[in-house]
Amino acid sequence: MKNNNIGCFGWLVLLFCFGLVLAYWYIFLIIIVICTLIYWIYSVNQKKKKSKQTNSPKIINAQEKSSKSVQAASVDKDHSLPIEKNSDNEFQDPNENIQLSSNLQLSDILFLNWLNGKDINEPVPGYIVNRFSINPIVEKKKLKSENYVKEGSISWRLNKLKVPDLKNILRKNNQKVSGRKSELIQRIQNNIQLQKYVDQLPHVFELSDKGSKLINKYNLIIWAHSNSWLIPPKEFLPYIDSDKSNIEISISLHEEKLIKIIKSASFNDYYEFERYEDYLADLYDKLNNEEKYVEHTINGAFLDYFLINSLNSRYYFEPDYYDTFQIQSKIIDLIQKIPEMNDLILQGAIATFIKDYSNILPEYVKNNSEQMLNALKDAINLSPQELHHKRLINLKRYITFESTEI
């Protein structure tokens, strides 16, 4: 009975609603039309937004930058950017260890140079395996057996003592303790019987005549291993007999490589442009070549300023304060080293930058040389915070982007 009552009540409610629809049908029709229109507008906007996200770069703020990079690396490892090399300048690839002769590899030269002056009883650290792509225990025995290295002479062992230790020996023998390290060593050798101090001297490796000749021959390779982190040492081998200095050879190789990657305009190489420019600026600074130093410093600064390394990427990483401060420090160093810097020199450097990178620069950079000059002046005259704020304004003015919450 109870269920029948509920059923009857339900029918009464439905009849009442149906009556309302018949009486006020026009109101219900308007509501349906409005709801349909709202749904249609929402669907169109969603399609536009999705299309924009696919074809346009997104801005990611500085706080999101690191987490987004980690996510991108885990999702698409094949397209992740290479990891920056550390100060030890390890080999980029173990395969870079090439054969120089029947019994010598490139790693033999580098390890021999590392071994020179090291304590004989000092354990060879495990990182040597990665750094030189060798077994250090076997290599150590090989270099000793082939007479490339020997136990150091007393003079060589004295040279490995610190100045306070040398002075202590002189003081105990009533000798003068003033002078440079070389003078202290000479005084000890001339005035003191060293036999009673031999056991106190460090037992270290010293290059034999054969080893010294080898190191001298491959001096360029050793220099490149310590100073060239963009091009592997093996690429310097054809120049070991060159009359040019190590720096001049390195400049030639790096400029040649930079021209190639600019022409190829491969997105995977974009991150390297600034590194090459900064490295070349440093080398030209050491050669006191002001024109080239200015040129490569300006190139590196603008590559960073306009986020060139983010071109053709789905995301623009919105630069943080530190990134802008780095740009400003380059320009400040430039101005301090070349006090006679003026607008004419800067305009020439800007023109060179646009010419060198014409095939990859977007129009908003190519057509704004005046804005670029103003950016350099801002780096000279504004505080770091003001420069960063103005840089963000300029980027948002010239780059078409969609500000998106990630």
Side-chain angles (χ1 to χ4, degrees), residues 15-28:
L15 288 172
F16 176 75
C17 292
F18 184 69
L20 285 176
V21 171
L22 290 177
Y24 300 100
W25 62 270
Y26 52 90
I27 295 177
F28 284 95

Side-chain angles (χ1 to χ4, degrees), residues 149-202:
V149 69
K150 61 182 181 180
E151 183 174 350
S153 63
I154 290 180
S155 174
W156 182 249
R157 292 162 66 185
L158 273 174
N159 193 56
K160 294 303 171 182
L161 288 178
K162 296 180 179 179
V163 170
D165 297 325
L166 295 172
K167 289 185 176 181
N168 282 338
I169 294 176
L170 289 167
R171 196 175 286 112
K172 288 177 181 178
N173 290 272
N174 299 317
Q175 299 292 323
K176 286 172 55 179
V177 295
S178 60
R180 291 177 293 184
K181 184 174 182 178
S182 59
E183 295 172 338
L184 300 180
I185 292 173
Q186 190 64 43
R187 195 173 299 144
I188 290 173
Q189 290 178 314
N190 292 340
N191 300 290
I192 298 174
Q193 296 225 351
L194 288 173
Q195 290 307 317
K196 59 181 178 180
Y197 293 104
V198 166
D199 293 337
Q200 299 178 26
L201 299 178

Side-chain angles (χ1 to χ4, degrees), residues 198-228:
V198 166
D199 293 337
Q200 299 178 26
L201 299 178
H203 292 269
V204 294
F205 283 114
E206 181 181 6
L207 294 176
S208 65
D209 290 341
K210 183 179 178 182
S212 295
K213 289 178 181 178
L214 194 66
I215 292 299
N216 290 334
K217 179 179 179 180
Y218 291 101
N219 171 266
L220 174 63
I221 305 304
I222 295 167
W223 181 91
H225 180 71
S226 301
N227 295 278
S228 173

Side-chain angles (χ1 to χ4, degrees), residues 12 75 357 379 406:
L12 288 173
V75 172
Y357 289 90
I406 302 298

